Every structure is written in structure tokens, then in C-alpha cells.
Amino acid sequence: MFFEIDVNVVILLIAFGFLAAFVDSVVGGGGLISLPALLFAGLNPAAAVATNKLAGTMGSLTSTISFYRSGQLDIRSVLKYFPLAFVGSLFGAWTVHLINPSLLKPIMLIMLAGVAVYTIFKKDWGSVSAVKTLSPLHLVLFMFLLFSIGFYDGFLGPGTGSFLIFSFLLVGFDFLKAAGNAKFLNLASNCAGLLMFIYLGHVHFAYGFIMGIAQIAGAMVGSRVAIKKGSGFVRVLFIIVTITLLTKNAYDYFAH
């Protein structure tokens, strides 16, 4: 199967896979780059989304390891949330067969707009890590939020990284630690979605592994740049990617 792939397609998958993982490892939103590339390579929408989950899982695992090794991922504090994102994503991927995903798009656009506006106007937000001790009620709400984002990732997907980072910022993490924690939970939702898509038979493994190898390289470079540059760099890239996601998805929604 690998030897039958056109060289131009291989170059396309490698180039866009690397770029997607570079961005995604820092602030999420890599699907904005990798998904169109897979569609351009000739996959139908269902296969493109499924194959993107395979490549994205390889990239998110790499960036999770990089953040953990650098001390920017507090594994003990977020491990208990892993099942929430995982099970949520499984339910989300399964629900795609019952409900049209486009029904969630207006809500997603409003949420992305809110995230962008809030982050832009709270200039010092996320510059220093001051993690709050959550009350029982706030903890339940936070866990429900993470489950919902996992569900959203399995169901629709665009902006998952932004929503996860925003969630960790809300409870007091700085941008860099929020990005590290978000990658760990994004790994959970990616794995769950991938398992469901493999079960449904939608994954193009040859394209997925080629792009996935490029994503491993992109994730290594991206996470190292983020760790070196610090929270200020992550904040700027977070705002740029969130606004880009909002613009692209708003155009898709209103133009069709």
C-alpha cells in the first residue's frame, strides 16, 4: 500500500503534517491544517477525519511526552481527568451516527468567539500559574466541562485544543502549563475517537502513518519552541489560532 502512493501526495502529507503538529503541540488547532491536506490527497470527508485522528494521536502523544519531560505537565493532577475526555470522545464519535454534527457548529462559533475576546482583553491572564483549590461544586462543573469537550472532540473537533487550554486557564494554570495539560487530555480524546473510527473502518492507515510520522517531528519541534519561549509566546499563538479557527469555521457555516 505504501509503495503505491504518489510521491507528491507523500510530500503533501509530510509538509502539512509537520506544520499541523507544530501548531497543535502548542495551542491546538492543527486539524485546520492537516484535515484539508487529507481531503486534497483524495480522501472522502469521513476517511479524512478518521485518518486525521490517527496522525493527530501520534503527534499529541509526542508533545505530551515533551511537556511532561520539561515539567510543564502535572501528570498527577490531570491523570484523574483522562477518563472524562476519553469516554466523552467515545460517546461523541458514536453520536455522529445519530445526529448531524452541523447542529453543534453555531454553539462552537459562539464559544470560540467568547474564548478569543476573553483572552484578548484579559492581558495578564495566564502569565503566572496560581492554581485554585476547587470547591466540590466547581470541581463537578470543571469535570463536566472536560467531559463535554471530550464529547465535542469525538463529535465535531475544531477548536478542542483551544477549549481545553481555556478550561485549565480558568482554574489558574499559566498558558504553558495549560497547554501541557491540554495536550494530555487531547491525547485521551484522540485515542478514543481513533478507536471508534478504526472499529467503523474509516481509517486510511498508509496516509495516517505517513502524516503521523511527520507529526511526531512537528510536535517535538513545536513543544520545544513553546517551552523555550514561555507563556507569552503561547498566549499570542493561542489568540491567533483561535481567531483563525473562528474565521474559517464562520465562513464555512455562513457560506454554505
Side-chain angles (χ1 to χ4, degrees):
M1 184 182 283
F2 285 95
F3 298 105
E4 296 172 1
I5 300 174
D6 186 273
V7 174
N8 292 325
V9 172
V10 173
I11 293 169
L12 173 83
L13 295 174
I14 290 173
F16 283 90
F18 180 91
L19 183 60
F22 180 93
V23 173
D24 202 72
S25 66
V26 185
V27 291
L32 193 70
I33 299 165
S34 57
L35 198 55
L38 288 164
L39 290 167
F40 189 76
L43 297 185
N44 64 57
V49 170
T51 304
N52 189 52
K53 280 293 180 200
L54 172 57
T57 299
M58 295 169 70
S60 59
L61 174 60
T62 305
S63 53
T64 296
I65 292 169
S66 296
F67 276 108
Y68 176 71
R69 285 179 173 172
S70 72
Q72 299 299 336
L73 165 57
D74 187 356
I75 200 82
R76 285 183 295 180
S77 67
V78 295
L79 186 60
K80 58 182 174 286
Y81 301 128
F82 191 94
L84 294 171
F86 186 91
V87 175
S89 183
L90 272 182
F91 274 109
W94 178 69
T95 308
V96 170
H97 290 276
L98 306 176
I99 306 171
N100 188 341
S102 63
L103 293 174
L104 267 189
K105 284 190 176 179
I107 300 170
M108 179 264 286
L109 293 174
I110 293 168
M111 288 170 63
L112 277 174
V115 166
V117 169
Y118 193 88
T119 309
I120 289 168
F121 285 99
K122 270 204 111 175
K123 293 194 177 358
D124 295 328
W125 194 46
S127 58
V128 179
S129 191
V131 183
K132 305 166 187 171
T133 301
L134 299 178
S135 68
L137 175 61
H138 285 147
L139 179 60
V140 170
L141 290 173
F142 182 62
M143 291 171 71
F144 177 75
L145 178 61
L146 296 180
F147 177 85
S148 300
I149 295 170
F151 179 91
Y152 169 79
D153 192 28
F155 190 71
L156 192 60
T160 298
S162 297
F163 296 142
L164 284 170
I165 290 174
F166 191 78
S167 300
F168 283 108
L169 289 169
L170 285 174
V171 296
F173 287 93
D174 63 46
F175 265 98
L176 198 52
K177 282 194 168 63
N181 292 345
K183 287 317 299 177
F184 182 66
L185 294 193
N186 205 182
L187 174 63
S189 61
N190 275 338
C191 286
L194 175 60
L195 288 172
M196 182 61 74
F197 285 127
I198 289 173
Y199 172 75
L200 296 171
H202 290 315
V203 179
H204 191 301
F205 287 97
Y207 284 11
F209 280 120
I210 290 170
M211 179 174 269
I213 291 166
Q215 288 216 11
I216 289 172
M220 288 175 68
V221 175
S223 52
R224 284 176 183 173
V225 168
I227 291 159
K228 185 178 179 181
K229 297 277 188 182
S231 288
F233 167 78
V234 177
R235 180 182 186 274
V236 171
L237 192 58
F238 176 81
I239 292 170
I240 292 170
V241 169
T242 303
I243 291 172
T244 305
L245 272 166
L246 176 62
T247 305
K248 196 265 182 192
N249 285 285
Y251 174 80
D252 288 346
Y253 181 72
F254 291 110
H256 296 91

